[in-house]
Amino acid sequence: MSDEPRDEGFDDLLDAIADGEGFYVECANGHGSLPPRLACPQCGSQDLSEEPLPDSGEISTYTVVTVPTPQFEDDAPYVTAVVDFGPVSITGQVRGVDPDDVDTGQVVGIGVGETVTRDERLIVFEPR
């Protein structure tokens, strides 16, 4: 793992996902968002509760990256996807499947992996 300083909000979310206890925050109006949040980005409410993240979601959109930034140069080719988990959408890498076999509507689970290039943690999705 990288020796980068800890990003408390994001790293706490990654820790929770890795432990099978992923969560999102929700305001009283039912708007979901990902931590760290001090207020709802849609209505401004500061009354937020932690809610369990669903075990699986559906790929909304994706792209196959063949020409990466230097941060991911040894990871390419890889698939970056936006996955709908009901109240929230999450971006991460799709793993465990050939890039040609990824499709919108595909059901995936969420986990935490590391980049090949820099051993940095990231959100990963694997087909269910």
Side-chain angles (χ1 to χ4, degrees):
M1 186 181 334
S2 172
D3 290 331
E4 293 291 317
R6 186 169 170 81
D7 178 344
E8 291 301 323
F10 183 66
D11 284 324
D12 290 345
L13 176 62
L14 290 178
D15 291 344
I17 291 170
D19 291 340
E21 299 174 357
F23 64 96
Y24 66 96
V25 292
E26 184 176 79
C27 73
N29 295 316
H31 303 136
S33 59
L34 294 174
R37 291 279 183 202
L38 299 177
C40 174
Q42 292 182 344
C43 68
S45 172
Q46 294 182 350
D47 184 18
L48 303 176
S49 63
E50 286 186 8
E51 301 297 328
L53 190 64
D55 291 332
S56 61
E58 287 188 7
I59 295 177
S60 299
T61 189
Y62 69 94
T63 189
V64 178
V65 178
T66 57
V67 181
T69 64
Q71 184 176 355
F72 294 97
E73 66 187 340
D74 296 332
D75 293 73
Y78 61 90
V79 178
T80 297
V82 176
V83 177
D84 180 8
F85 284 90
V88 293
S89 292
I90 302 175
T91 303
Q93 277 189 16
V94 178
R95 296 203 173 156
V97 63
D98 187 279
D100 292 335
D101 294 332
V102 174
D103 204 0
T104 56
Q106 188 170 7
V107 177
V108 294
I110 190 169
V112 175
E114 292 184 355
T115 65
V116 174
T117 307
R118 295 188 180 176
D119 294 328
E120 294 175 335
R121 294 192 316 164
L122 75 160
I123 292 174
V124 296
F125 306 116
E126 294 196 6
R128 290 278 170 146

